[in-house]
Amino acid sequence: QVQLVESGGGLVQAGGSLRLSCTASGRTFSSYAMGWFRQALGKEREFVASITWSGFGTYYADSVKGRFTISRDNAKNMVYLQMSSLKPEDTAVYYCAQESSAYRLNLADFGSWGQGTQVPVSS
């Protein structure tokens, strides 16, 4: 059974930086693509960033491109989201997620989710 645990959220001022971490267990981490999603109050969950199983491929939502960086450490079973130049509109609960199938990255097929970590950005 896959377990994903996010950490690193917290209140940050606009223009500031924050790094989210996600620890994964339950499957061979290095075989699965990972992603970060977020959900703001009253809005649907949206894609933020994803990374292939090897780490060589990364993809971003247009709204965070150039400000956020996703990375992973397969030796530690961890994925990170470095967020910089944060804006109030980045305020959301951020979720770590894992692809359901090995060696594939399909945003519609992220079947395992963490509990989320809150990131409020003050103006």
Side-chain angles (χ1 to χ4, degrees):
Q1 185 176 354
V2 177
Q3 278 196 314
L4 303 173
V5 179
E6 303 96 336
S7 60
L11 180 64
V12 61
Q13 286 191 333
S17 299
L18 204 61
R19 188 176 84 154
L20 304 183
S21 300
C22 172
T23 302
S25 61
R27 292 197 294 190
T28 304
F29 181 72
S30 59
S31 299
Y32 295 88
M34 299 294 296
W36 287 95
F37 295 74
R38 68 186 182 187
Q39 187 168 20
L41 195 62
K43 295 187 177 181
E44 292 189 355
R45 187 168 58 196
E46 64 176 2
F47 166 73
V48 175
S50 61
I51 187 167
T52 57
W53 49 96
S54 64
F56 289 137
T58 57
Y59 308 91
Y60 298 93
D62 287 343
S63 59
V64 306
K65 206 171 290 184
R67 299 188 298 121
F68 290 11
T69 302
I70 188 171
S71 61
R72 66 189 294 158
D73 185 336
N74 284 346
K76 296 182 179 179
N77 286 7
M78 295 194 70
V79 62
Y80 307 98
L81 185 68
Q82 178 67 48
M83 306 185 292
S84 303
S85 302
L86 282 160
K87 305 175 182 180
E89 50 264 44
D90 293 318
T91 294
V93 177
Y94 284 72
Y95 297 91
C96 172
Q98 188 177 70
E99 237 278 9
S100 296
S101 299
Y103 307 114
R104 187 180 75 174
L105 200 169
N106 181 343
L107 293 182
D109 201 28
F110 277 74
S112 299
W113 297 83
Q115 82 289 350
T117 185
Q118 293 209 3
V119 178
V121 182
S122 63
S123 56

